[in-house]
Amino acid sequence: MTKQRLGVLTSGGDCPGLNAVLRGVVLAAEKHGLEVVGFRDGFEGLLAPASSVLLDRTQIAGIAPRGGTILGTTNRGHFVAKVGAGEKAVVPADVIENSRRVLSDAGVLALIVVGGDGSMTTALQLQQAGINCIGVPKTIDNDLEATAMTFGFDSAANAVMDAVDRLHTTATSHNRAMVLEVMGRHAGWIALHGGVAGGAHVILIPEIPFDYDIIAEAVRRREARGVHGAIVVVAEGARPRDGQQMLHPTVSGEFRFGGMGEVVAREITARTGKETRCTILGHLQRGGAPTLLDRILGTRFGVKAVNLAVEGKFGSMVSYQNYQVRDVPIADAVNRLRLVPPDGEMVQTARDVEICFGD
Ligand code: F6P
């Protein structure tokens, strides 16, 4: 008799810890006597069943320390369920029907979807159409309200910390202001945590609109105290009090962030006369080996997803709350961003160690 099966796919931007999730899924499924079918390149794999793969111990051996995803991923294609911020698109009925047929032909009882907010919106639409789904939240941005933490964030924040550590060298040797632009979309978590850990002097986040004159003053204050150099971490979604975020439309109808670091660097030079350089960390903060925390969280999320499938809790999403891995309905999880509270303890701690937020 053939074994019962779970399906799994990774969707949206790659993220450190995805492979740890896949390993967790396969090993936990084996414990329950289930097979796992992996669909390639996100939801698109549901339309290309020939490329799917039976994931067993051979495929997942040694993958937990590897960044990215062995299944591939995409944030484009037939299943895009979100366009601009807060705007929902409907996955076409024929695409959902094709997916249902492919999953049924493959003998899949439930599909584990590992992805961010957009992917959870798609999973919800599949679930509402009667396809059993379990969600596993993923994003380096750490901005989902339904979970206190997502895997990938720790690795990304560590990459920022490492970059800030390195920028101190040139900042002090050349007495320059060094600007570092980091990811995070609408949330400042990566900038805040990486910046505090690295000892940045100014951190600009989307949640606290900034003023160029106040940043310049913070840079001048260091100079006046005879300290060389300043490090300014700029979240890609940061914006001046009287200006806009730097957003660029993409072909898929979404928006990309980028460019605020250069603007801030220019304005610092204009106001202080100080030599300033900008580094854009970009995808360096999404690549490489996941940290211990992300491997463990990924493993716990993968195992929990299988347990939820075995319990028949379809339509739920794994969630991290109070140091426990639990579950919430996907329907309650989508479209709810968790932003940095400007008056929260973390921002206050940063202020207390003399970090300026440009406000
Ligand atoms: O959401 C994760 C993230 O890395 C954001 O921080 C960033 O704005 C975006 O994805 C970049 O996406 P892409 O790899 O498609 O350029």
Side-chain angles (χ1 to χ4, degrees):
M1 200 183 93
T2 50
K3 285 187 178 176
Q4 290 196 305
R5 288 177 169 175
L6 297 177
V8 66
L9 58 84
T10 53
S11 169
D14 66 331
C15 174
L18 282 170
N19 285 327
V21 175
L22 295 176
R23 178 174 171 275
V25 165
V26 170
L27 294 179
E30 189 180 289
K31 199 169 160 217
H32 288 287
L34 297 166
E35 283 182 343
V36 178
V37 183
F39 293 92
R40 294 197 193 275
D41 302 330
F43 288 100
E44 292 301 295
L46 297 178
L47 303 180
S51 67
S52 66
V53 57
L54 208 54
L55 289 177
D56 61 18
R57 283 171 173 269
T58 328
Q59 271 90 29
I60 51 118
I63 65 169
R66 280 164 52 188
T69 159
I70 60 163
L71 285 179
T73 187
T74 181
N75 44 18
R76 300 172 59 174
H78 299 82
F79 291 81
V80 172
K82 278 188 90 170
V83 277
E87 293 172 36
K88 206 174 131 187
V90 175
V91 180
D94 60 323
V95 170
I96 293 186
E97 278 323 302
N98 279 347
S99 309
R100 189 200 309 283
R101 201 182 51 247
V102 166
L103 289 165
S104 152
D105 289 351
V108 168
L109 293 173
L111 180 66
I112 297 175
V113 175
V114 193
D117 191 51
S119 309
M120 290 306 135
T121 307
T122 300
L124 182 60
Q125 291 190 27
L126 298 188
Q127 179 67 42
Q128 285 164 346
I131 297 173
N132 294 333
C133 289
I134 304 286
V136 176
K138 161 246 65 157
T139 166
I140 63 164
D141 304 337
N142 206 26
D143 61 352
L144 303 183
E145 178 66 39
T147 180
M149 205 188 317
T150 48
F151 62 87
F153 167 68
D154 189 58
S155 305
N158 265 282
V160 171
M161 178 186 75
D162 184 50
V164 173
D165 284 351
R166 288 165 187 269
L167 289 173
H168 276 291
T169 310
T170 307
T172 28
S173 305
H174 286 258
N175 192 10
R176 285 177 180 164
M178 301 298 284
V179 174
L180 178 69
E181 181 182 303
V182 305
M183 286 183 170
R185 293 183 69 82
H186 298 285
W189 295 109
I190 296 176
L192 180 60
H193 283 241
V196 169
H201 308 110
V202 179
I203 300 177
L204 306 178
I205 58 176
E207 296 86 346
I208 306 178
F210 60 83
D211 184 322
Y212 291 114
D213 289 331
I214 294 173
I215 301 169
E217 187 46 41
V219 171
R220 268 195 230 102
R221 233 182 358 254
R222 289 182 58 75
E223 195 80 57
R225 290 201 342 236
V227 204
H228 268 184
I231 309 273
V232 181
V233 175
V234 181
E236 61 182 3
R239 70 175 171 90
R241 269 181 195 156
D242 52 0
Q244 301 295 321
Q245 289 177 311
M246 296 286 282
L247 286 171
H248 315 279
T250 68
V251 279
S252 61
E254 260 281 8
F255 286 96
R256 278 187 56 228
F257 289 82
M260 191 52 82
E262 281 293 353
V263 177
V264 169
R266 237 182 4 248
E267 295 295 330
I268 290 175
T269 305
R271 283 167 168 75
T272 64
K274 205 171 185 63
E275 214 183 351
T276 308
R277 295 284 189 277
C278 174
T279 303
I280 300 170
L281 195 53
H283 293 80
L284 290 177
Q285 66 210 287
R286 235 164 64 183
T291 57
L292 169 143
L293 210 137
D294 286 339
R295 292 184 207 189
I296 290 186
L297 199 56
T299 303
R300 291 172 75 185
F301 277 15
V303 169
K304 179 71 174 181
V306 171
N307 291 338
L308 290 173
V310 169
E311 290 164 23
K313 287 184 102 171
F314 307 123
S316 56
M317 186 189 88
V318 174
S319 153
Y320 188 66
Q321 300 162 26
N322 296 324
Y323 301 98
Q324 300 292 317
V325 178
R326 303 178 185 280
D327 62 277
V328 292
I330 300 177
D332 293 354
V334 293
N335 270 327
R336 287 173 55 213
L337 284 188
R338 190 171 63 86
L339 302 178
V340 174
D343 300 323
E345 186 262 343
M346 185 64 192
V347 168
Q348 192 50 53
T349 300
R351 292 192 195 276
D352 289 345
V353 294
E354 293 181 354
I355 291 171
C356 165
F357 284 87
D359 63 335

